[in-house]
Amino acid sequence: HKRILKFLQLFVSEMPKPAFMKQTLEELGIGTYNNIAFIHPDTPIIKALNIFVDRRVSALPVVDESGKVVDIYSKFDVINLAAEKTYNNLDITVTQALRHRSQYFEGVMKCNRLETLETIVDRIVKAEVHRLVVVDEHASIVGIVSLSDILQALVLTPAGIDAQHS
């Protein structure tokens, strides 16, 4: 996924920009905005693992009691749990498990629905992440836009986005 997106970013930066790159996520309808799977800081790891399987998602935004996105728990974090051999206690909370995360974690990468696809692609590539959490002006979760969502819109949509929205 990342190599393809990197290619697209380089390709798009060298070529005249398609009009849709200047359109917003909202205008293009890219991302998931209904029935978003999320967890709370005190959610036990076992429950998060079950959500990964049941909902077939690769990351879960961690949302506090006010609805604000405060972290993200991904399948990559589960691998860390296994590597540190702390997986024998699956009753620990997400917050406790995330204390084992690499010091290189820079926080949840976010965006809003009014940002352009160009901005979104740029942010994902520079941050080397698989998804951005879409938030409102209060940092509350409204959706998720993943690499898969973007690639599907750019590559798999017949005749591309421009034909869809013209």
Side-chain angles (χ1 to χ4, degrees):
H1 269 94
K2 281 192 203 162
R3 283 189 186 151
I4 295 171
L5 202 59
K6 187 82 172 165
F7 165 78
L8 286 170
Q9 187 193 36
L10 292 170
F11 179 76
V12 167
S13 67
E14 299 298 319
M15 303 287 285
K17 286 199 176 33
F20 65 79
M21 291 300 286
K22 296 286 186 197
Q23 289 182 278
T24 66
L25 281 184
E26 189 166 72
E27 291 168 334
L28 296 169
I30 297 174
T32 303
Y33 300 95
N34 296 319
N35 202 14
I36 304 299
F38 65 90
I39 53 178
H40 297 286
D42 61 353
T43 300
I45 290 299
I46 188 70
K47 185 170 181 188
L49 296 176
N50 284 329
I51 296 170
F52 282 140
V53 173
D54 295 344
R55 297 290 300 276
R56 299 169 85 178
V57 294
S58 59
L60 295 163
V62 181
V63 176
D64 71 12
E65 59 283 345
S66 70
K68 185 177 172 191
V69 177
V70 294
D71 212 329
I72 193 156
Y73 190 67
S74 72
K75 285 187 175 177
F76 183 77
D77 294 309
V78 176
I79 293 166
N80 285 344
L81 203 66
E84 298 208 356
K85 303 213 179 351
T86 46
Y87 54 82
N88 55 352
N89 181 8
L90 297 179
D91 293 323
I92 63 169
T93 67
V94 169
T95 301
Q96 291 169 309
L98 288 175
R99 289 191 187 122
H100 299 274
R101 184 187 268 154
S102 152
Q103 67 273 24
Y104 302 112
F105 181 72
E106 294 179 15
V108 186
M109 298 307 295
K110 302 172 194 159
C111 66
N112 70 63
R113 291 178 85 166
L114 301 179
E115 290 183 89
T116 64
L117 184 57
E118 180 180 18
T119 301
I120 301 297
V121 167
D122 202 49
R123 187 168 306 145
I124 285 177
V125 171
K126 286 188 172 132
E128 297 184 352
V129 294
H130 288 105
R131 74 204 54 80
L132 299 179
V133 178
V134 185
V135 295
D136 64 14
E137 62 277 5
H138 307 292
S140 294
I141 186 169
V142 293
I144 295 206
V145 61
S146 69
L147 263 180
S148 298
D149 296 331
I150 293 169
L151 292 174
Q152 188 164 9
L154 292 179
V155 181
L156 301 177
T157 304
I161 293 172
D162 275 339
Q164 233 182 7
H165 294 276
S166 55

